[in-house]
Structures are given as structure tokens and as C-alpha cells.
């Protein structure tokens, strides 16, 4: 069990490093690539086409199988997604390894299985929490994810306010754009490191909420905030994420 926990903790550190660099900026990524490669970056998520080939110096082969998510995909289809798939498809272990190498990290092949598992679990939890907001709208019966992008250094106003109160800043931020029956709704997701619990060496807090781009988004946040407050679930919960659950792996 100790070796397993050490492996999971190592994978968590790898996942955190990757989160800080994934989709951070089209311009930064393009500046380090030849024009022909930069042009291949997808503007919807700043990701290149799927690369399933072993990387230079790779010691052992990695699986190229990809797991189907439960997150519905909008009409736009990125190059790294299956054309016929109605839901987003998660990257394979080989794709994760190549992505980390491309960004200058030195990943261990042995960590990739845990890294992919953590990534997939966290994304499913993000979508579950988005659906909690979408269920407040009758027109949001079949929401679909249009695009996503990491913005690790663009701290949200809420994250900055909590940091002013003495809490740590999130280690990553994502913006997800959801199609609500033809209306684009932006969600902000802040990722916080959590204290490991017995038997669960990896823990993180997710603060998922609609961006304050409209009065409707503000009203939605107030509704779920009130529901959470009166439920009593805030007892022992991180103040960094009042309307969200804890995701751990």
C-alpha cells in the first residue's frame, strides 16, 4: 500500500505540473514552434492534433487506448477528437507523455497511468458540478461542452479575494464554455491542493461556478450558495470552494 501511495503521490505532482502548463497560452506555445506546427494548434483548446507515436528517449511503450468521457461534445470537433464521437475522448497515456515532453518536462512512463486516471476523474467531477448549475435552467436539459482552456496565472477575482483573507491561491484555473441550447455559458474552475486523507494520498478542491458574465449567472451562484449554506455541508469544508464538492483520487 505504501508503494502504491508513493506512486499516486508522484503522479499527483506530475498532474499538477502538467495542469500549470496545459493550454496556458496560444501565443507562448506558438512562439516556441515553427509556423507549420503552430498553425496546427486548435484555437478552441490550444492543443495540437493527437500524437500517439513514442517520444524520443522513451524507455517503454505506453498504451494508446483512449477512454470515452461522459461529457457531451458540441458541434465543433477538434482534430484530436474522434469525428463520430458524441462525447469528449480523454487522451491516452502516450498522448499525455508526449504533451509533457513537448512542454519541457521529464515525465516517467510509470506515472502515466495514474496521471491519466486523475485527469479523467477530475474532469468528470467538474462536469458533474457544472450540471448542478445547468439543471437550474429548463433550456439546459442537454448542455454540451464547446471548449476549454487553462489559465493558471489568470487568478479569478474570487481566488484573489480568498488569498487576501489568507488562503492559498489555486494551482490552476480552467475556463469551460458550455452550449446551453444555443447560448454560450462560461464556467470558471479553480483547482486547489487539498490535504491528503488516510488511504487517499491525493486530494484537491474544485471550485466550479459560472463566470459572472450575466445577471443569470449571479442568480445561479446565489441559489446554489444558499442551498449549500442551509444544507450544513459547509461544516469542515474548505472555504475556498463553498458551492463545490471535494474531488480526490
Amino acid at each position: 500500500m505504501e508503494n502504491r501511495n508513493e506512486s499516486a503521490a508522484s503522479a499527483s505532482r506530475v498532474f499538477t505540473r502538467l495542469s500549470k502548463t496545459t493550454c496556458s497560452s496560444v501565443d507562448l506555445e506558438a512562439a516556441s514552434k515553427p509556423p507549420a506546427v503552430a498553425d496546427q494548434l486548435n484555437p478552441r483548446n490550444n492543443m495540437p492534433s493527437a500524437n500517439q507515436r513514442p517520444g524520443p528517449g522513451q524507455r517503454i511503450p505506453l498504451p494508446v487506448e483512449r477512454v470515452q468521457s461522459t461529457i457531451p461534445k458540441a458541434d465543433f470537433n477538434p482534430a484530436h477528437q474522434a469525428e463520430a464521437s458524441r462525447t469528449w475522448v480523454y487522451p491516452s497515456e502516450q498522448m499525455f507523455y508526449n504533451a509533457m515532453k513537448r512542454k519541457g518536462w521529464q515525465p516517467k512512463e510509470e506515472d502515466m497511468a495514474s496521471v491519466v486516471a486523475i485527469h479523467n476523474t477530475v474532469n468528470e467531477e467538474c462536469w458533474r458540478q457544472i450540471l448542478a448549475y445547468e439543471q437550474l435552467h429548463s433550456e439546459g436539459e442537454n448542455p454540451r461542452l464547446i471548449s476549454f482552456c487553462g489559465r493558471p496565472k489568470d487568478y479569478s477575482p474570487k481566488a484573489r479575494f480568498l488569498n487576501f483573507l489568507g488562503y492559498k491561491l489555486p494551482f490552476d484555473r480552467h475556463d469551460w464554455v458550455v452550449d446551453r441550447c444555443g447560448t454560450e455559458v462560461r464556467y470558471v474552475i479553480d483547482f486547489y491542493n487539498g490535504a491528503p486523507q488516510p488511504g487517499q494520498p491525493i486530494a484537491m478542491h474544485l471550485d466550479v461556478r459560472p463566470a459572472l458574465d450575466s445577471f443569470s449567472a449571479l442568480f445561479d451562484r446565489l441559489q446554489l450558495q444558499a442551498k449549500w449554506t442551509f444544507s450544513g455541508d459547509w461544516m469542515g469544508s474548505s472555504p475556498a470552494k463553498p458551492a463545490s464538492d471535494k474531488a480526490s483520487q
Side-chain angles (χ1 to χ4, degrees):
M1 176 63 71
E2 183 177 353
N3 290 337
R4 181 179 178 183
N5 289 350
E6 290 177 355
S7 176
S10 174
S12 178
R13 290 190 293 270
V14 172
F15 174 78
T16 300
R17 292 198 300 269
L18 181 59
S19 295
K20 290 181 178 179
T21 56
T22 300
C23 297
S24 59
S25 170
V26 175
D27 293 334
L28 291 177
E29 183 76 21
S32 63
K33 301 291 183 182
V37 177
D39 291 343
Q40 296 173 11
L41 291 173
N42 190 318
R44 290 293 184 123
N45 55 18
N46 302 333
M47 294 291 286
S49 300
N51 178 10
Q52 296 276 31
R53 297 184 298 275
Q58 185 173 327
R59 294 180 292 107
I60 57 177
L62 290 170
V64 297
E65 293 78 19
R66 304 176 65 181
V67 175
Q68 199 85 20
S69 79
T70 65
I71 305 174
K73 184 174 58 178
D75 294 334
F76 175 80
N77 195 77
H80 60 80
Q81 291 291 312
E83 192 71 39
S85 175
R86 294 187 177 182
T87 60
W88 288 82
V89 182
Y90 290 126
S92 67
E93 294 180 33
Q94 184 66 63
M95 291 172 66
F96 253 95
Y97 181 87
N98 291 341
M100 295 196 70
K101 294 286 284 188
R102 187 179 68 251
K103 294 178 181 296
W105 298 104
Q106 300 299 321
K108 294 182 179 180
E109 292 88 338
E110 296 82 359
D111 289 335
M112 289 303 103
S114 295
V115 168
V116 171
I118 295 170
H119 170 273
N120 297 357
T121 300
V122 169
N123 276 274
E124 292 293 326
E125 178 63 16
C126 288
W127 184 248
R128 186 187 73 80
Q129 295 190 31
I130 286 175
L131 290 180
Y133 285 100
E134 289 300 307
Q135 289 171 0
L136 299 175
H137 298 267
S138 59
E139 71 272 22
E141 295 180 354
N142 297 293
R144 301 180 298 171
L145 179 61
I146 299 174
S147 64
F148 55 89
C149 189
R151 302 173 60 187
K153 297 303 181 183
D154 295 336
Y155 299 118
S156 65
K158 181 179 180 180
R160 291 183 182 277
F161 176 72
L162 290 171
N163 182 244
F164 174 76
L165 295 180
Y167 297 99
K168 291 184 178 181
L169 288 167
F171 68 82
D172 196 14
R173 167 190 170 176
H174 281 189
D175 283 15
W176 288 22
V177 179
V178 173
D179 176 9
R180 182 188 294 163
C181 291
T183 300
E184 293 190 3
V185 181
R186 182 169 63 95
Y187 282 84
V188 177
I189 305 170
D190 285 329
F191 298 79
Y192 294 86
N193 284 316
Q197 303 297 318
Q200 295 182 329
I202 301 170
M204 66 180 71
H205 300 297
L206 308 177
D207 188 0
V208 182
R209 71 276 187 196
L212 294 178
D213 296 334
S214 66
F215 287 111
S216 175
L218 174 61
F219 185 66
D220 289 351
R221 287 172 65 163
L222 291 175
Q223 283 191 81
L224 285 198
Q225 178 70 47
K227 180 180 179 181
W228 172 81
T229 301
F230 289 113
S231 71
D233 290 343
W234 55 274
M235 298 292 290
S237 180
S238 168
K241 42 172 289 304
S244 304
D245 294 334
K246 180 186 299 181
S248 59
Q249 175 71 18

